[in-house]
Amino acid sequence: MTKSLSLAALAVVFGVCLPASGLAQSTGDQKAEVKKEEKDPKVTAYETAIKDLKRIDGAFPMYQRKKEILLELPEDKLGKIFLLQATLATGLDSALLHAGMPIGNNAVDAFRFDRNEEQVWLVRPTIANRWQKGDDFALGAERQFQEAILGSFKIEQQNPEKKLLLVNVTQLFYGDVIRLSEMVSQGLGGQYMLDREKSSVESVKGFPENSTVQMKLHYMSPRGGGGGGMMALLGLSAPISLEDDRSAPLKVTYSVWFRKEDGYTPRNADPRIGYFTESFFSIDKYLNTDRTERYINRFHLVKKDPTAKVSEAVKPIVFTLDNSIPADYREAVKSGVLRWNKAFDALGFKNAVQVQEQPKENYDHADGRYNVIRMMVSPSSPFGAISLFRTDPFTGEILNVGITLDGNIIRDLQQEHLRNVSSHVGAGKRALEVMTRDPQRTTTDDEFLFATPAEMARKEAFAKMSRFGLAGELCTNAAEQASAGVLSWIAVQAAPVKADKEEYVKKFLADCVSHEVGHALGLRHNFAGSTNLSTNELADDKLTSEQGTSASVMDYTPANVQAVLKGSGNFYAPVIGPYDVWAIKYGYSDFGKTTTGEKFQLAQIASASGERGHAFMTDEDADSWNPYAVRFDGGSDPLVFSSKMIVAMKRARDYAILNLPRKGESYSKRTNVVLSSIMRSFREGRTAARFVGGIAASRNFKGDSGEKPTMAPVNPALQRQAAKMIAANFLAPGAFKMPESVLTSLSTDENEGSWTAPVRDFIGFNQQNLVALMLSASASDRIAENSYKVKGAYGLDEHYQIVTGAVFAEVGTNQSIDPLRRDLQRFLVNGLTTIAGAPNGAVNEDSRMLASQSLSSLRNKMLAQLKHSDKLDNMTRLHLKDSSESIGRFLNRTNVVAR
């Protein structure tokens, strides 16, 4: 480009004489131009401020100044939404604080920068409540729902020419916005404060789509952790991994990026199919009965060629295997991930789900650019494996995911290690409490009776963990499955065919990973998945290789009992199930329409909910009155499956008694196998108890294909079968009989100082709770309700006869009653007395009559037996005499009126 000539220069070129005034004017103009070219002092100050600082280009251009971070913020980005994701790059020995855990009020939080004089404010927009500007109620909503101001940052310099602000955003990364100090304190059970002197910026990196800041944050506590804080109290955080619990160093990786519209279409949820959702109160639906809008969580998956029958995805779902996963198990992890392509193949996606190794450069497992699968090592973990995804809070689009596996699940299986079960001995004497109605109790009877105090507290803690940005539904599948898997493996060793342990472990791991990947794709648990195949069908390896051992890997399922009993076959699901394929069809079919426009197609898909393999029941449905929505059950005929599992547990127990310990070993492992197998057997009894007074639920809508009743009483024959199964296996004389040589060697390594091997209490506790479950007020209410709804129902009178007949089977047979049986009989007498003497409204009146009748009948039998007591031992005679007198006093009670 040529420079323009001045007026004087043109005159010389063309030989033109200009008046003096003209030259003077020209000179003045030149001076004016020179003056105009002088830099704005603000620009100079801006450039001086950044001159010697390290600049990191990226989505958020930043400068480092020792411990400070300066953001170069274009003025046109003010008022624009940006997303922030915080992840623990290193962890501590706490359920709340493991490496890879996302933190913050939401896994991804939305903010914007607004200018206020010489500051920039950090503002969170209204997300939980939304409305359209033109809505009739918009003005009222604007007055009611206010945005949050969560921080303010100093504008240090301005560049008016380039319209840039230099903002000191250091405070954004010290954890206050995401409540990190509170999280650390709760996680470690003490009062921890950020030590700013020992905290600093570890690294700042810039990428085209995002920028990352990793902080070294040091938290300190004069008194240390474990001092009664919530998490420590619950056994979720014994800070063993801290060298000194007064010092808690953490590294946190922040990812920030400006939100862009990428063409993603939010998809409405349907209750017949289980997806996690992004939910908000919709002012636009103000006049509707349900004013909550629910968008499912899913990845943005579209075809490169929308017209092709089969096409690769524009952006496939790629999982990165972190180097923390040992080489021996990487193929199993990969297998668990890639089996989800079966569902996407059906939609015409080629290689939609992919796996890659950890990149060699610019990799951080906490960086939001990656979907990471990592493995941690800790003394203990309540999860075993956990999948936590991050979503766009406006649309529900899954942006990235982190799956963390605990190495303990592999260790337990490889070493056949069973966790200490002594905490379940005498876990709580609450059995009589469920005999009467208690509107204040919020737990199910099963949970109330069998959960230890630590387990109940842990559940409460999990509910509170949503405060720290965790999903509302936390998954313990892997940890529980590993524990059950050890017992199943011991039973396998007693089978005629010898299986390979390494292959068993890898199949287990792949199954666990596929479950967590399902969560990563947006799917919730489905505890009805196990009802797809019958127990007999589970023995067919060809069938289970095609359909899986459950209709959904999102169920909690034990090892396939049929494979366990024969020692070979599909111990764990080798593929995803038909429900999983159907659910992915609902979530990821691309209709190329708006959220409203695709409703018809989605309704067509969901209308297949009644078809075989499509049943869906999730966490809020599980372990209550629906016997087909249960964790760790199996088969479309769960009672048959349970009976076989009882056989498998007996086999594991017998194997341990005959083969353990080996010479030079302690008795601890045999003790744990014996006690754990008994506990696992009682779990099958609890599964059976749900059939008695049970209700089979369905989420069908009217007109769905294969429609079933939505609240049908369980078939009376199945209720009867369940009650008799419990009576025969858990309440009859001789249940859990063991040799004296075993009973006198129940030592453990973990409790040498306090463990006295109270096996009588252990078995009695479980028996009494099972009786309480059968005769609870809620079970009796359901039995009575079901008998009103269906003909030929299983009634309360028959129910009482089966239970009392099993518990008092020896009475009248001239047999002595052993100590464990006396405990159970005394408990039932107290239970029947509680029911018969309950205040008005506390029990079903039919139950009251039957309890009174049962007591009267039992007393007569006891008195008759005492007339022929010459073959009874002294303790049996005393027991019958005391029990009959106790019943007599109750039946002959009189009301005492105070004067």
Side-chain angles (χ1 to χ4, degrees):
M1 186 174 75
T2 59
K3 293 183 179 179
S4 59
L5 297 175
S6 68
L7 189 60
L10 287 171
V12 173
V13 172
F14 293 102
V16 177
C17 291
L18 295 176
S21 61
L23 289 171
Q25 180 67 43
S26 175
T27 303
D29 289 344
Q30 283 182 310
K31 289 180 179 178
E33 287 180 15
V34 171
K35 191 171 184 178
K36 189 179 290 186
E37 288 175 4
E38 289 181 1
K39 284 189 175 180
D40 188 317
K42 289 185 177 181
V43 174
T44 302
Y46 191 101
E47 292 177 348
T48 301
I50 64 175
K51 181 180 178 183
D52 298 320
L53 300 182
K54 178 184 177 183
R55 178 183 171 89
I56 302 95
D57 283 311
F60 272 57
M62 298 185 201
Y63 296 91
Q64 268 188 267
R65 186 173 65 195
K66 296 182 179 180
K67 287 189 175 185
E68 295 179 307
I69 297 175
L70 306 178
L71 170 64
E72 185 175 85
L73 180 63
E75 291 184 20
D76 63 2
K77 294 293 187 182
L78 290 169
K80 303 290 186 183
I81 297 293
F82 73 91
L83 303 178
L84 180 146
Q85 171 183 313
T87 306
L88 294 180
T90 62
L92 304 168
D93 185 27
S94 165
L96 275 178
L97 299 168
H98 69 69
M101 180 72 79
I103 45 181
N105 283 331
N106 299 290
V108 172
D109 220 333
F111 298 104
R112 70 170 190 267
F113 290 126
D114 285 357
R115 183 165 184 175
N116 184 61
E117 297 179 348
E118 297 308 307
Q119 291 183 329
V120 167
W121 284 0
L122 183 70
V123 179
R124 183 189 295 155
T126 53
I127 298 175
N129 303 282
R130 307 183 201 176
W131 57 90
Q132 299 291 331
K133 286 190 176 182
D135 190 270
D136 292 342
F137 292 94
L139 180 58
E142 289 169 2
R143 292 172 177 171
Q144 182 66 24
F145 302 111
Q146 302 299 308
E147 298 176 322
I149 302 171
L150 297 178
S152 61
F153 311 111
K154 180 183 177 182
I155 300 173
E156 295 205 349
Q157 301 293 341
Q158 303 177 54
N159 187 327
E161 285 187 0
K162 296 183 179 180
K163 298 188 181 303
L164 298 174
L165 303 178
L166 192 65
V167 186
N168 191 328
V169 292
T170 309
Q171 287 296 115
L172 179 61
F173 303 108
Y174 271 102
D176 293 337
V177 170
I178 56 175
R179 294 177 173 172
L180 188 53
S181 291
E182 183 181 352
M183 187 172 178
V184 171
S185 295
Q186 294 282 15
L188 297 180
Q191 190 60 44
Y192 284 80
M193 302 295 292
L194 179 64
D195 179 1
R196 291 182 181 273
E197 286 187 6
K198 298 182 183 68
S199 300
S200 61
V201 180
E202 175 77 355
S203 67
V204 181
K205 298 178 182 178
F207 307 99
E209 297 298 324
N210 75 318
S211 294
T212 66
V213 176
Q214 187 171 100
M215 299 291 292
K216 290 172 63 176
L217 302 177
H218 182 253
Y219 288 87
M220 62 182 296
S221 173
R223 298 182 179 179
M230 178 181 72
M231 304 308 289
L233 183 66
L234 307 184
L236 294 178
S237 63
I240 301 169
S241 64
L242 294 179
E243 186 63 29
D244 188 312
D245 65 1
R246 293 171 295 180
S247 170
L250 277 175
K251 289 184 181 180
V252 179
T253 297
Y254 293 86
S255 292
V256 288
W257 65 98
F258 282 101
R259 185 175 181 272
K260 296 179 180 178
E261 293 293 341
D262 59 0
Y264 177 83
T265 301
R267 177 157 295 178
N268 287 124
D270 189 292
R272 291 167 286 185
I273 305 172
Y275 274 86
F276 291 104
T277 60
E278 209 73 42
S279 303
F280 58 93
F281 183 81
S282 176
I283 306 301
D284 303 336
K285 299 172 66 175
Y286 194 78
L287 298 180
N288 292 18
T289 303
D290 183 3
R291 292 172 285 180
T292 301
E293 192 80 64
R294 299 174 181 86
Y295 293 154
I296 68 170
N297 296 138
R298 58 175 183 150
F299 281 95
H300 186 194
L301 197 69
V302 294
K303 290 181 177 179
K304 283 184 179 178
D305 183 356
T307 63
K309 186 176 181 181
V310 177
S311 171
E312 294 181 339
V314 173
K315 186 180 179 181
I317 305 167
V318 181
F319 289 88
T320 300
L321 299 188
D322 188 80
N323 286 346
S324 57
I325 302 172
D328 288 349
Y329 301 106
R330 299 175 80 81
E331 273 304 312
V333 172
K334 185 177 180 179
S335 169
V337 176
L338 294 180
R339 60 183 56 173
W340 279 95
N341 274 324
K342 176 181 179 181
F344 291 102
D345 288 346
L347 300 181
F349 285 101
K350 181 180 179 182
N351 298 326
V353 180
Q354 301 177 13
V355 174
Q356 69 173 7
E357 295 297 321
Q358 172 182 315
K360 294 180 179 179
E361 297 180 357
N362 287 324
Y363 170 78
D364 177 352
H365 76 99
D367 186 345
R369 294 178 300 152
Y370 301 101
N371 302 311
V372 176
I373 304 178
R374 63 180 73 82
M375 186 169 288
M376 70 172 180
V377 178
S378 69
S380 63
S381 168
F383 306 125
I386 188 169
S387 176
L388 295 169
F389 52 72
R390 289 83 164 182
T391 61
D392 184 311
F394 295 96
T395 65
E397 177 188 354
I398 296 176
L399 304 174
N400 59 74
V401 66
I403 296 175
T404 302
L405 308 172
D406 184 0
N408 284 318
I409 61 175
I410 296 175
R411 166 187 173 272
D412 289 354
L413 284 168
Q414 286 287 18
Q415 298 185 2
E416 300 173 23
H417 173 74
L418 285 157
R419 300 188 187 280
N420 190 348
V421 297
S422 64
S423 62
H424 289 265
V425 178
K429 301 297 184 181
R430 301 185 290 264
L432 290 177
E433 295 179 44
V434 303
M435 300 290 193
T436 56
R437 296 168 180 155
D438 181 2
Q440 302 301 316
R441 191 168 60 244
T442 58
T443 57
T444 64
D445 291 340
D446 182 278
E447 186 177 56
F448 181 76
L449 289 170
F450 288 93
T452 65
E455 288 171 338
M456 291 295 291
R458 184 176 289 120
K459 180 184 177 183
E460 182 181 349
F462 287 171
K464 292 179 179 179
M465 285 166 74
S466 60
R467 174 183 179 84
F468 300 108
L470 303 180
E473 177 184 294
L474 289 172
C475 181
T476 59
N477 174 58
E480 294 186 56
Q481 197 178 36
S483 180
V486 177
L487 278 171
S488 293
W489 171 251
I490 293 170
V492 167
Q493 293 178 72
V497 178
K498 301 302 178 187
D500 181 78
K501 182 194 285 188
E502 187 69 22
E503 284 303 305
Y504 180 88
V505 172
K506 289 178 178 178
K507 289 176 180 178
F508 159 83
L509 181 59
D511 188 25
C512 287
V513 169
S514 68
H515 178 99
E516 301 305 329
V517 171
H519 283 319
L521 296 172
L523 296 179
R524 296 189 67 189
H525 290 135
N526 179 10
F527 297 122
S530 58
T531 62
N532 183 39
L533 299 179
S534 70
T535 304
N536 282 339
E537 287 174 322
L538 288 171
D540 186 340
D541 295 334
K542 182 179 179 181
L543 183 61
T544 55
S545 293
E546 295 170 352
Q547 296 193 30
T549 56
S550 169
S552 176
V553 295
M554 305 314 298
D555 202 342
Y556 284 13
T557 52
N560 178 2
V561 70
Q562 295 285 43
V564 168
L565 290 173
K566 67 182 181 180
S568 65
N570 289 318
F571 296 106
Y572 297 99
V575 293
I576 63 171
Y579 167 84
D580 302 320
V581 175
W582 177 60
I584 291 297
K585 182 179 181 182
Y586 181 91
Y588 287 88
S589 292
D590 186 8
F591 303 113
K593 296 184 177 182
T594 64
T595 302
T596 302
E598 65 182 16
K599 283 187 175 181
F600 175 77
Q601 286 96 332
L602 293 174
Q604 290 295 104
I605 295 172
S607 68
S609 66
E611 296 179 8
R612 182 176 180 177
H614 289 178
F616 167 65
M617 291 287 159
T618 193
D619 286 70
E620 52 265 33
D621 308 307
D623 302 328
S624 184
W625 41 261
N626 184 355
Y628 297 103
V630 178
R631 293 171 175 87
F632 292 104
D633 65 339
S636 57
D637 45 2
L639 293 175
V640 177
F641 187 95
S642 288
S643 66
K644 288 188 175 292
M645 185 61 77
I646 292 170
V647 171
M649 291 301 98
K650 176 74 163 52
R651 183 178 290 181
R653 188 159 59 251
D654 290 345
Y655 176 86
I657 291 171
L658 291 173
N659 296 281
L660 300 176
R662 296 179 177 87
K663 189 174 181 179
E665 296 178 345
S666 78
Y667 285 85
S668 183
K669 181 177 177 180
R670 187 177 78 176
T671 298
N672 274 329
V673 172
V674 168
L675 297 182
S676 296
S677 63
I678 292 173
M679 186 185 300
R680 185 66 180 83
S681 297
F682 270 106
R683 184 161 193 157
E684 300 306 326
R686 291 154 60 187
T687 296
R690 293 188 181 92
F691 277 85
V692 183
I695 303 168
S698 167
R699 291 176 179 260
N700 292 160
F701 285 9
K702 177 66 176 178
D704 284 356
S705 59
E707 183 182 353
K708 300 176 181 65
T710 56
M711 295 286 285
V714 168
N715 186 299
L718 289 177
Q719 294 188 59
R720 193 170 292 112
Q721 179 185 344
K724 290 180 177 179
M725 173 184 163
I726 291 170
N729 289 282
F730 302 99
L731 306 181
F736 304 107
K737 280 280 188 183
M738 286 177 283
E740 185 176 315
S741 60
V742 174
L743 294 174
T744 57
S745 296
L746 290 172
S747 56
T748 69
D749 294 338
E750 294 94 337
N751 299 294
E752 287 301 329
S754 58
W755 174 250
T756 60
V759 69
R760 174 180 172 182
D761 283 351
F762 175 68
I763 296 174
F765 164 78
N766 282 284
Q767 284 183 321
Q768 291 169 27
N769 281 347
L770 197 51
V771 169
L773 202 59
M774 295 280 281
L775 296 182
S776 68
S778 60
S780 297
D781 286 344
R782 292 195 304 273
I783 293 171
E785 178 70 19
N786 287 349
S787 65
Y788 165 74
K789 292 177 178 176
V790 296
K791 294 180 180 179
Y794 175 80
L796 279 172
D797 51 347
E798 182 180 0
H799 182 59
Y800 270 73
Q801 288 173 15
I802 291 174
V803 174
T804 57
V807 173
F808 289 94
E810 302 96 326
V811 180
T813 63
N814 300 321
Q815 297 179 55
S816 292
I817 305 170
D818 69 37
L820 184 63
R821 298 286 297 166
R822 295 198 298 268
D823 292 342
L824 181 59
Q825 291 174 7
R826 276 190 286 266
F827 170 77
L828 183 52
V829 168
N830 288 335
L832 293 171
T833 301
T834 298
I835 296 169
N840 289 335
V843 296
N844 180 285
E845 289 303 315
D846 288 346
S847 294
R848 188 197 305 279
M849 291 189 301
L850 287 166
S852 294
Q853 182 191 49
S854 297
L855 287 169
S856 179
S857 176
L858 285 171
R859 182 170 182 266
N860 292 336
K861 284 185 178 181
M862 291 175 183
L863 293 174
Q865 178 66 83
L866 286 169
K867 291 179 181 179
H868 306 281
S869 61
D870 52 308
K871 294 183 179 180
L872 306 181
D873 61 30
N874 186 52
M875 289 303 298
T876 298
R877 285 193 292 269
L878 288 174
H879 165 66
L880 293 175
K881 183 174 182 296
D882 181 74
S883 296
S884 62
E885 289 176 352
S886 177
I887 295 172
R889 285 192 297 272
F890 173 78
L891 295 176
N892 296 322
R893 69 194 184 283
T894 57
N895 294 324
V896 178
V897 180
R899 294 178 181 273

